[in-house]
PDB file of all heavy atoms in Angstrom:
ATOM      1  N   PRO A 474       7.990  51.789  31.255  1.00 78.00           N
ATOM      2  CA  PRO A 474       8.343  51.301  29.979  1.00 78.00           C
ATOM      3  C   PRO A 474       7.391  51.552  28.781  1.00 78.00           C
ATOM      4  O   PRO A 474       7.845  52.091  27.773  1.00 78.00           O
ATOM      5  CB  PRO A 474       8.670  49.770  30.201  1.00 78.00           C
ATOM      6  CG  PRO A 474       8.841  49.606  31.628  1.00 78.00           C
ATOM      7  CD  PRO A 474       7.997  50.659  32.284  1.00 78.00           C
ATOM      8  N   ALA A 475       6.169  51.352  29.046  1.00 80.00           N
ATOM      9  CA  ALA A 475       5.177  51.700  28.008  1.00 80.00           C
ATOM     10  C   ALA A 475       5.085  53.120  27.856  1.00 80.00           C
ATOM     11  O   ALA A 475       4.933  53.612  26.667  1.00 80.00           O
ATOM     12  CB  ALA A 475       3.818  51.186  28.423  1.00 80.00           C
ATOM     13  N   LEU A 476       5.082  54.026  28.892  1.00 83.00           N
ATOM     14  CA  LEU A 476       5.130  55.437  28.742  1.00 83.00           C
ATOM     15  C   LEU A 476       6.173  55.940  27.918  1.00 83.00           C
ATOM     16  O   LEU A 476       6.049  56.724  26.944  1.00 83.00           O
ATOM     17  CB  LEU A 476       5.077  56.056  30.065  1.00 83.00           C
ATOM     18  CG  LEU A 476       3.934  55.817  30.970  1.00 83.00           C
ATOM     19  CD1 LEU A 476       4.154  56.631  32.314  1.00 83.00           C
ATOM     20  CD2 LEU A 476       2.564  56.082  30.316  1.00 83.00           C
ATOM     21  N   VAL A 477       7.508  55.515  28.071  1.00 84.00           N
ATOM     22  CA  VAL A 477       8.615  55.879  27.394  1.00 84.00           C
ATOM     23  C   VAL A 477       8.547  55.436  25.958  1.00 84.00           C
ATOM     24  O   VAL A 477       8.870  56.205  25.096  1.00 84.00           O
ATOM     25  CB  VAL A 477       9.990  55.439  28.143  1.00 84.00           C
ATOM     26  CG1 VAL A 477      11.151  55.797  27.320  1.00 84.00           C
ATOM     27  CG2 VAL A 477      10.138  55.957  29.508  1.00 84.00           C
ATOM     28  N   SER A 478       8.178  54.172  25.837  1.00 84.00           N
ATOM     29  CA  SER A 478       8.068  53.684  24.403  1.00 84.00           C
ATOM     30  C   SER A 478       7.043  54.452  23.567  1.00 84.00           C
ATOM     31  O   SER A 478       7.314  54.868  22.376  1.00 84.00           O
ATOM     32  CB  SER A 478       7.779  52.232  24.491  1.00 84.00           C
ATOM     33  OG  SER A 478       7.557  51.597  23.270  1.00 84.00           O
ATOM     34  N   ASN A 479       5.953  54.697  24.133  1.00 85.00           N
ATOM     35  CA  ASN A 479       4.923  55.469  23.434  1.00 85.00           C
ATOM     36  C   ASN A 479       5.343  56.826  23.059  1.00 85.00           C
ATOM     37  O   ASN A 479       4.993  57.555  22.068  1.00 85.00           O
ATOM     38  CB  ASN A 479       3.563  55.396  24.166  1.00 85.00           C
ATOM     39  CG  ASN A 479       2.941  54.160  24.177  1.00 85.00           C
ATOM     40  OD1 ASN A 479       2.928  53.279  23.269  1.00 85.00           O
ATOM     41  ND2 ASN A 479       2.193  53.697  25.194  1.00 85.00           N
ATOM     42  N   THR A 480       6.023  57.434  24.110  1.00 88.00           N
ATOM     43  CA  THR A 480       6.490  58.924  23.943  1.00 88.00           C
ATOM     44  C   THR A 480       7.474  58.965  22.803  1.00 88.00           C
ATOM     45  O   THR A 480       7.521  59.814  21.986  1.00 88.00           O
ATOM     46  CB  THR A 480       7.032  59.392  25.249  1.00 88.00           C
ATOM     47  OG1 THR A 480       6.044  59.290  26.207  1.00 88.00           O
ATOM     48  CG2 THR A 480       7.502  61.004  25.158  1.00 88.00           C
ATOM     49  N   LEU A 481       8.357  57.941  22.760  1.00 87.00           N
ATOM     50  CA  LEU A 481       9.344  57.961  21.800  1.00 87.00           C
ATOM     51  C   LEU A 481       8.643  57.781  20.313  1.00 87.00           C
ATOM     52  O   LEU A 481       9.140  58.295  19.257  1.00 87.00           O
ATOM     53  CB  LEU A 481      10.370  56.855  21.913  1.00 87.00           C
ATOM     54  CG  LEU A 481      11.390  57.033  23.087  1.00 87.00           C
ATOM     55  CD1 LEU A 481      12.150  55.728  23.330  1.00 87.00           C
ATOM     56  CD2 LEU A 481      12.442  58.187  22.762  1.00 87.00           C
ATOM     57  N   TYR A 482       7.690  56.890  20.260  1.00 85.00           N
ATOM     58  CA  TYR A 482       6.923  56.658  19.007  1.00 85.00           C
ATOM     59  C   TYR A 482       6.348  58.134  18.534  1.00 85.00           C
ATOM     60  O   TYR A 482       6.334  58.405  17.373  1.00 85.00           O
ATOM     61  CB  TYR A 482       5.985  55.629  19.272  1.00 85.00           C
ATOM     62  CG  TYR A 482       4.894  55.566  18.079  1.00 85.00           C
ATOM     63  CD1 TYR A 482       5.221  55.030  16.876  1.00 85.00           C
ATOM     64  CD2 TYR A 482       3.744  56.061  18.205  1.00 85.00           C
ATOM     65  CE1 TYR A 482       4.440  55.012  15.832  1.00 85.00           C
ATOM     66  CE2 TYR A 482       2.764  55.933  17.178  1.00 85.00           C
ATOM     67  CZ  TYR A 482       3.141  55.583  15.992  1.00 85.00           C
ATOM     68  OH  TYR A 482       2.261  55.440  14.901  1.00 85.00           O
ATOM     69  N   ARG A 483       5.832  58.720  19.588  1.00 87.00           N
ATOM     70  CA  ARG A 483       5.098  60.053  19.317  1.00 87.00           C
ATOM     71  C   ARG A 483       6.142  61.100  18.816  1.00 87.00           C
ATOM     72  O   ARG A 483       5.865  61.896  17.886  1.00 87.00           O
ATOM     73  CB  ARG A 483       4.249  60.500  20.452  1.00 87.00           C
ATOM     74  CG  ARG A 483       3.369  61.731  20.192  1.00 87.00           C
ATOM     75  CD  ARG A 483       2.480  61.481  19.051  1.00 87.00           C
ATOM     76  NE  ARG A 483       2.000  62.587  18.385  1.00 87.00           N
ATOM     77  CZ  ARG A 483       1.231  62.554  17.387  1.00 87.00           C
ATOM     78  NH1 ARG A 483       0.702  61.540  16.876  1.00 87.00           N
ATOM     79  NH2 ARG A 483       0.888  63.714  16.755  1.00 87.00           N
ATOM     80  N   PHE A 484       7.330  61.058  19.448  1.00 88.00           N
ATOM     81  CA  PHE A 484       8.343  61.920  19.034  1.00 88.00           C
ATOM     82  C   PHE A 484       8.739  61.693  17.554  1.00 88.00           C
ATOM     83  O   PHE A 484       9.035  62.673  16.766  1.00 88.00           O
ATOM     84  CB  PHE A 484       9.525  61.855  20.034  1.00 88.00           C
ATOM     85  CG  PHE A 484      10.816  62.670  19.586  1.00 88.00           C
ATOM     86  CD1 PHE A 484      10.780  63.964  19.497  1.00 88.00           C
ATOM     87  CD2 PHE A 484      11.980  61.975  19.093  1.00 88.00           C
ATOM     88  CE1 PHE A 484      11.846  64.707  19.142  1.00 88.00           C
ATOM     89  CE2 PHE A 484      12.992  62.731  18.672  1.00 88.00           C
ATOM     90  CZ  PHE A 484      13.065  64.053  18.737  1.00 88.00           C
ATOM     91  N   ASP A 485       8.887  60.408  17.163  1.00 86.00           N
ATOM     92  CA  ASP A 485       9.171  60.110  15.860  1.00 86.00           C
ATOM     93  C   ASP A 485       8.127  60.688  14.872  1.00 86.00           C
ATOM     94  O   ASP A 485       8.463  61.240  13.780  1.00 86.00           O
ATOM     95  CB  ASP A 485       9.189  58.564  15.758  1.00 86.00           C
ATOM     96  CG  ASP A 485       9.763  58.046  14.314  1.00 86.00           C
ATOM     97  OD1 ASP A 485      10.262  58.966  13.640  1.00 86.00           O
ATOM     98  OD2 ASP A 485       9.661  56.952  14.083  1.00 86.00           O
ATOM     99  N   VAL A 486       6.836  60.674  15.270  1.00 86.00           N
ATOM    100  CA  VAL A 486       5.843  61.179  14.284  1.00 86.00           C
ATOM    101  C   VAL A 486       5.868  62.683  14.395  1.00 86.00           C
ATOM    102  O   VAL A 486       5.687  63.430  13.375  1.00 86.00           O
ATOM    103  CB  VAL A 486       4.347  60.668  14.935  1.00 86.00           C
ATOM    104  CG1 VAL A 486       3.392  61.392  14.100  1.00 86.00           C
ATOM    105  CG2 VAL A 486       4.382  59.230  14.756  1.00 86.00           C
ATOM    106  N   SER A 487       6.187  63.205  15.552  1.00 88.00           N
ATOM    107  CA  SER A 487       6.192  64.718  15.718  1.00 88.00           C
ATOM    108  C   SER A 487       7.403  65.305  14.900  1.00 88.00           C
ATOM    109  O   SER A 487       7.176  66.516  14.413  1.00 88.00           O
ATOM    110  CB  SER A 487       6.390  65.131  17.196  1.00 88.00           C
ATOM    111  OG  SER A 487       5.308  64.746  17.963  1.00 88.00           O
ATOM    112  N   VAL A 488       8.456  64.711  14.700  1.00 87.00           N
ATOM    113  CA  VAL A 488       9.568  65.141  13.887  1.00 87.00           C
ATOM    114  C   VAL A 488       9.005  65.357  12.452  1.00 87.00           C
ATOM    115  O   VAL A 488       9.240  66.438  11.801  1.00 87.00           O
ATOM    116  CB  VAL A 488      10.731  64.210  13.808  1.00 87.00           C
ATOM    117  CG1 VAL A 488      11.696  64.575  12.765  1.00 87.00           C
ATOM    118  CG2 VAL A 488      11.384  64.206  15.274  1.00 87.00           C
ATOM    119  N   ARG A 489       8.206  64.424  11.954  1.00 85.00           N
ATOM    120  CA  ARG A 489       7.697  64.674  10.508  1.00 85.00           C
ATOM    121  C   ARG A 489       6.731  65.765  10.448  1.00 85.00           C
ATOM    122  O   ARG A 489       6.710  66.559   9.555  1.00 85.00           O
ATOM    123  CB  ARG A 489       7.009  63.234  10.143  1.00 85.00           C
ATOM    124  CG  ARG A 489       8.038  62.165   9.947  1.00 85.00           C
ATOM    125  CD  ARG A 489       7.132  60.831   9.734  1.00 85.00           C
ATOM    126  NE  ARG A 489       7.937  59.627   9.494  1.00 85.00           N
ATOM    127  CZ  ARG A 489       8.602  58.953  10.242  1.00 85.00           C
ATOM    128  NH1 ARG A 489       8.326  59.227  11.599  1.00 85.00           N
ATOM    129  NH2 ARG A 489       9.354  57.931   9.970  1.00 85.00           N
ATOM    130  N   SER A 490       5.863  65.810  11.550  1.00 86.00           N
ATOM    131  CA  SER A 490       4.898  66.856  11.652  1.00 86.00           C
ATOM    132  C   SER A 490       5.489  68.303  11.790  1.00 86.00           C
ATOM    133  O   SER A 490       5.023  69.274  11.096  1.00 86.00           O
ATOM    134  CB  SER A 490       3.916  66.566  12.726  1.00 86.00           C
ATOM    135  OG  SER A 490       3.270  65.432  12.739  1.00 86.00           O
ATOM    136  N   ALA A 491       6.561  68.410  12.509  1.00 86.00           N
ATOM    137  CA  ALA A 491       7.204  69.694  12.736  1.00 86.00           C
ATOM    138  C   ALA A 491       7.906  70.076  11.326  1.00 86.00           C
ATOM    139  O   ALA A 491       7.852  71.337  11.191  1.00 86.00           O
ATOM    140  CB  ALA A 491       8.346  69.529  13.758  1.00 86.00           C
ATOM    141  N   SER A 492       8.259  69.194  10.568  1.00 84.00           N
ATOM    142  CA  SER A 492       8.789  69.534   9.292  1.00 84.00           C
ATOM    143  C   SER A 492       7.710  70.169   8.321  1.00 84.00           C
ATOM    144  O   SER A 492       7.849  71.077   7.493  1.00 84.00           O
ATOM    145  CB  SER A 492       9.401  68.281   8.529  1.00 84.00           C
ATOM    146  OG  SER A 492      10.426  67.791   9.340  1.00 84.00           O
TER     147      SER A 492
END
Side-chain angles (χ1 to χ4, degrees):
L476 296 184
V477 175
S478 178
N479 289 328
T480 303
L481 287 172
Y482 168 74
R483 187 60 204 178
F484 173 67
D485 190 13
V486 176
S487 296
V488 170
R489 297 174 173 85
S490 300
S492 302

